[in-house]
Amino acid sequence: MYEVEVKVRADHETIREQLEASDAEQVNRVEQTDIYYNAPHKDFAETDEALRLRRESRYEDDEVVDEVTVITYKGPLVDESSKTRREYETGVDDGETMDAICEAVGFEPTATVEKERERFELDGYTVSLDAVSGLGEFVEVEVEVESGVDAAREGAFDVLRKLDVDPDDQIRTSYLGMLLGAPEE
Amino acid sequence: MYEVEVKVRADHETIREQLEASDAEQVNRVEQTDIYYNAPHKDFAETDEALRLRRESRYEDDEVVDEVTVITYKGPLVDESSKTRREYETGVDDGETMDAICEAVGFEPTATVEKERERFELDGYTVSLDAVSGLGEFVEVEVEVESGVDAAREGAFDVLRKLDVDPDDQIRTSYLGMLLGAPEE
């Protein structure tokens, strides 16, 4: 399974108009707070690994209907072109306790990424309007495919064009990377 | 809150008779599989810390009625006489994934402790009949108190005597310690 993902800076007000005009369907709205940790015995920024604790609140009509916490490990890229990584993720009952365990065994929180994310469905793609604290507004177009990564990426570009966004403005840096000061590339 | 705990090697058949004669109440029966990890940057055996992943199956009439997985960090003793430690514990959805995360971030499984534990209630104490793989049969008498540790320990000794067990045979080594070859003390 490959995840194709294209991210561009974009003003949400404009995109919303295009989403409505395109009959996109709203899927949900969530708030995510991600804590990223660094390991005590190596630098995850150098080894291209990540340990993340994500607390997500799901909203319906401005009310929180569900809160979940998941812990995720992402391994280094094993294939550059398809961006394939080893990934393990499981839910945990209590985010604060899990954070305390991570810190107690030596992992240091290095950054917190807070965002509001509205998900829509359009032409088989997931369109996310992300408002990220400290960084601003973005649109992300995403799909999972078994094969045909290039065609899927072209399809994501088409979705962006439909939303009046130029795919050439694509940003490859993660939100974490941007918050840690990496240039947008 | 102090946890007072006294453990003795004992043949379960004999104890069961005494428990019945004493009108002890069976609380539950569980199977626990504990994986202990060591840290990549220090030796938890030396720092007196522990990271443990416990999978517990609860039985009722020989049927599994519940399965839970919890991850626990135990800090070093902060008070020798009361055996007080910092402890963080939370449930996780998927034990195998949590194990994969622990190993991926550098923690090495050092030992697995498997036991069947039957819990009874007697005179305000929890009496556990533990059958530990590779170690044999034990009885553990336990209570949590806000204060009065010495009196609670004397009470635990009384419960053991009631079960025809000599408190002087108390073992202070943990099951993990015994499995790793520490002498029973």
Side-chain angles (χ1 to χ4, degrees):
Chain A
M1 184 70 81
Y2 301 117
E3 197 175 71
V4 172
E5 196 180 284
V6 183
K7 181 170 70 193
V8 180
R9 266 192 188 279
D11 179 63
H12 285 181
E13 217 179 295
T14 319
I15 308 251
R16 265 180 231 285
E17 286 166 21
Q18 302 300 325
L19 283 168
E20 271 176 42
S22 315
D23 286 327
E25 203 174 322
Q26 174 146 15
V27 178
N28 62 20
R29 181 163 76 83
V30 299
E31 268 178 27
Q32 295 175 335
T33 302
D34 296 341
I35 305 175
Y36 286 88
Y37 300 90
N38 202 6
H41 60 303
K42 54 178 168 176
D43 187 352
F44 276 175
E46 274 170 27
T47 58
D48 188 27
E49 294 168 271
L51 180 66
R52 180 185 73 195
L53 189 65
R54 165 171 290 177
R55 293 191 230 179
E56 180 172 299
S57 305
R58 284 177 206 169
Y59 284 82
E60 261 173 36
D61 303 328
D62 288 329
E63 266 183 60
V64 177
V65 291
D66 198 14
E67 288 199 307
V68 290
T69 303
V70 292
I71 186 161
T72 307
Y73 166 81
K74 293 188 189 205
L77 280 183
V78 290
D79 177 29
E80 177 65 43
S81 68
S82 66
K83 300 268 179 198
T84 307
R85 300 172 181 276
R86 190 159 55 115
E87 184 170 320
Y88 301 121
E89 184 164 279
T90 184
V92 301
D93 288 350
D94 184 325
E96 275 177 47
T97 302
M98 195 67 230
D99 171 64
I101 291 174
C102 288
E103 294 192 36
V105 299
F107 285 74
E108 274 197 39
T110 48
T112 299
V113 180
E114 288 182 289
K115 64 169 164 295
E116 198 185 301
R117 165 170 280 183
E118 268 180 278
R119 291 197 189 92
F120 297 83
E121 177 112 15
L122 179 58
D123 298 345
Y125 287 77
T126 300
V127 177
S128 299
L129 302 193
D130 289 349
V132 187
S133 292
L135 292 178
E137 296 185 343
F138 302 82
V139 60
E140 202 171 88
V141 176
E142 198 178 328
V143 72
E144 285 187 349
V145 290
E146 290 291 349
S147 61
V149 168
D150 288 341
R153 194 179 297 114
E154 278 311 313
F157 288 171
D158 286 343
V159 169
L160 283 170
R161 284 186 203 104
K162 207 169 187 173
L163 300 174
D164 256 353
V165 174
D166 187 350
D168 287 346
D169 293 338
Q170 179 180 1
I171 298 167
R172 287 192 173 79
T173 310
S174 67
Y175 296 135
L176 173 65
M178 286 186 237
L179 279 168
L180 294 179
E184 291 179 15
E185 54 160 321
Chain B
M1 184 71 80
Y2 301 117
E3 196 176 69
V4 173
E5 195 182 285
V6 183
K7 180 171 70 195
V8 181
R9 265 192 189 280
D11 179 65
H12 285 180
E13 218 180 297
T14 319
I15 309 253
R16 266 179 230 285
E17 286 167 21
Q18 302 300 324
L19 283 168
E20 270 176 40
S22 314
D23 287 328
E25 205 176 320
Q26 173 146 14
V27 179
N28 61 20
R29 181 163 76 83
V30 299
E31 269 178 26
Q32 295 175 335
T33 303
D34 297 342
I35 304 175
Y36 287 88
Y37 300 89
N38 201 6
H41 59 304
K42 54 178 167 174
D43 187 353
F44 276 175
E46 274 170 29
T47 58
D48 187 26
E49 294 168 272
L51 181 65
R52 181 186 71 197
L53 189 63
R54 165 171 289 176
R55 293 191 230 178
E56 181 171 297
S57 305
R58 283 177 207 170
Y59 284 81
E60 260 174 38
D61 302 327
D62 290 327
E63 266 183 58
V64 177
V65 292
D66 198 14
E67 288 198 308
V68 291
T69 303
V70 292
I71 187 162
T72 307
Y73 166 81
K74 293 188 189 205
L77 280 182
V78 292
D79 178 27
E80 178 66 40
S81 68
S82 65
K83 301 269 178 195
T84 307
R85 300 174 180 274
R86 188 159 56 115
E87 185 171 321
Y88 302 122
E89 184 165 281
T90 183
V92 303
D93 288 351
D94 184 326
E96 275 176 48
T97 303
M98 195 67 228
D99 171 64
I101 292 173
C102 288
E103 294 193 36
V105 299
F107 284 74
E108 274 197 39
T110 47
T112 300
V113 180
E114 288 181 289
K115 64 170 166 293
E116 199 185 300
R117 166 169 280 182
E118 269 179 278
R119 290 197 190 92
F120 297 81
E121 177 112 15
L122 178 58
D123 298 346
Y125 287 77
T126 299
V127 178
S128 299
L129 301 193
D130 290 349
V132 187
S133 292
L135 293 178
E137 296 185 344
F138 301 82
V139 61
E140 204 172 87
V141 175
E142 199 179 324
V143 73
E144 285 188 349
V145 291
E146 290 290 351
S147 61
V149 168
D150 288 340
R153 194 179 297 114
E154 279 309 314
F157 289 170
D158 288 341
V159 169
L160 283 170
R161 283 185 204 104
K162 208 170 187 171
L163 300 173
D164 256 353
V165 173
D166 185 351
D168 286 347
D169 294 337
Q170 179 178 3
I171 298 167
R172 289 192 172 79
T173 310
S174 67
Y175 296 136
L176 173 65
M178 285 186 238
L179 279 168
L180 295 179
E184 291 179 13
E185 54 160 327

